[in-house]
Amino acid sequence: MLVTKIYQPKDLSVNLLHVDSSILGDHSVSRKISAAAVAALRAATPDVRVTYRDLDAAPAPHQSGALLAARATPAEARTPDQARDVAEADAILEEFLAADVVVLGVPMYNFGIPSQLKSWIDHLAVAGRTFSYSEAGVKGLAGGKRVILASSRGGFYGPESPAAALQHQESYLRGFFGFIGVTDIEVVGAEGVNISPDLKQTALEAAVAQAAVLSPLSKAA
Ligand SMILES: Cc1cc2nc3c(=O)[nH]c(=O)nc-3n(C[C@H](O)[C@H](O)[C@H](O)COP(=O)(O)O)c2cc1C
């Protein structure tokens, strides 16, 4: 029997997934920070492939009874809407798994993350793909990635602040990504942006300066 070995060159480019979720368009602070982070990483990394998602312009489908029903329907029997939603949800997971680095624009809305971002995250928590349960406990399966949170908040939520207990934005994302095995998490953020225009400007400039010195990218392990 003739066995042909197919040579598949290793993909050496770094896959960067850039996701924005702000509803404030050109006025968004997190969009400016995430864009600055991606620009700096592109400039510092010779071979980077960027995939972009704007979750406000093109929301991820919600986890819903309708989506579960669509998944339970054989592919050939799905309606066009069902087929689109399943394909979109699957694409979100595959895009995330393929990424070496994820830059997330993360506004704080009502003390947590925007529902747009939550809908996207809901497609990442998939048993057997990003985590597994066993008798030994939970195991994260999505390690080896670097996640950069480009965060913006109207107020202050540091450990000493009276509002610290209401900070469910960064803490939620750290908890979630940790659960699926991502330990390399950096935050480039602006706080107090709604306190005054001056504070907003200073916080944005500091975050953009922080983004400019992010270390270059490398392929996930
Ligand atoms: C719908 C909405 C809810 C908000 N909720 C909060 C909040 O709970 N706490 C806070 O400090 N700022 C809050 N803000 C202010 C935002 O955190 C601030 O504008 C931040 O820059 C949002 O990121 P973005 O500019 O990228 O959208 C809220 C803003 C909006 C539009």
Side-chain angles (χ1 to χ4, degrees):
M1 188 173 70
L2 179 68
V3 178
T4 314
K5 226 179 170 180
I6 299 171
Y7 173 70
Q8 285 187 313
K10 197 166 157 33
D11 181 6
L12 292 176
S13 33
V14 175
N15 288 323
L16 187 158
L17 176 59
H18 177 190
V19 177
D20 276 324
S21 58
S22 170
I23 62 172
L24 298 182
D26 290 344
H27 300 285
S28 159
V29 175
S30 65
R31 284 175 186 266
K32 291 188 178 76
I33 301 171
S34 74
V38 171
L41 294 169
R42 262 187 200 272
T45 313
D47 191 2
V48 56
R49 190 185 298 132
V50 178
T51 303
Y52 181 65
R53 262 187 195 267
D54 182 338
L55 296 173
D56 183 47
H62 266 105
Q63 287 289 6
S64 63
L67 185 57
L68 290 179
R71 285 206 180 282
T73 304
E76 63 283 1
R78 286 177 190 150
T79 66
D81 282 358
Q82 286 180 320
R84 185 204 54 223
D85 283 355
V86 171
E88 185 64 10
D90 289 349
I92 286 171
L93 175 64
E94 297 308 328
E95 233 170 55
F96 174 75
L97 290 172
D100 301 295
V101 185
V102 182
V103 176
L104 280 187
V106 186
M108 175 186 272
Y109 293 157
N110 299 310
F111 310 114
I113 61 171
S115 56
Q116 287 82 353
L117 184 55
K118 179 63 167 56
S119 293
W120 179 81
I121 283 182
D122 283 348
H123 298 297
L124 306 186
V126 179
R129 301 298 304 279
T130 53
F131 70 94
S132 64
Y133 284 122
S134 75
E135 281 175 10
V138 179
K139 190 173 167 205
L141 304 177
K145 287 182 204 309
R146 180 176 169 197
V147 171
I148 298 166
L149 306 177
S151 147
S152 181
R153 304 167 186 161
F156 289 101
Y157 297 85
E160 306 302 324
S161 111
L166 291 172
Q167 193 284 101
H168 303 294
Q169 172 214 29
E170 182 186 327
S171 52
Y172 170 72
L173 292 173
R174 282 186 180 277
F176 173 77
F177 285 114
F179 176 82
I180 62 169
V182 178
T183 52
D184 186 354
I185 301 173
E186 294 156 87
V187 179
V188 182
E191 274 205 307
V193 303
N194 281 5
I195 306 282
S196 74
D198 280 355
L199 266 181
K200 179 177 184 174
Q201 191 57 27
T202 310
L204 176 58
E205 281 171 13
V208 167
Q210 201 190 342
V213 295
L214 283 166
S215 52
L217 301 174
S218 55
K219 273 217 75 77

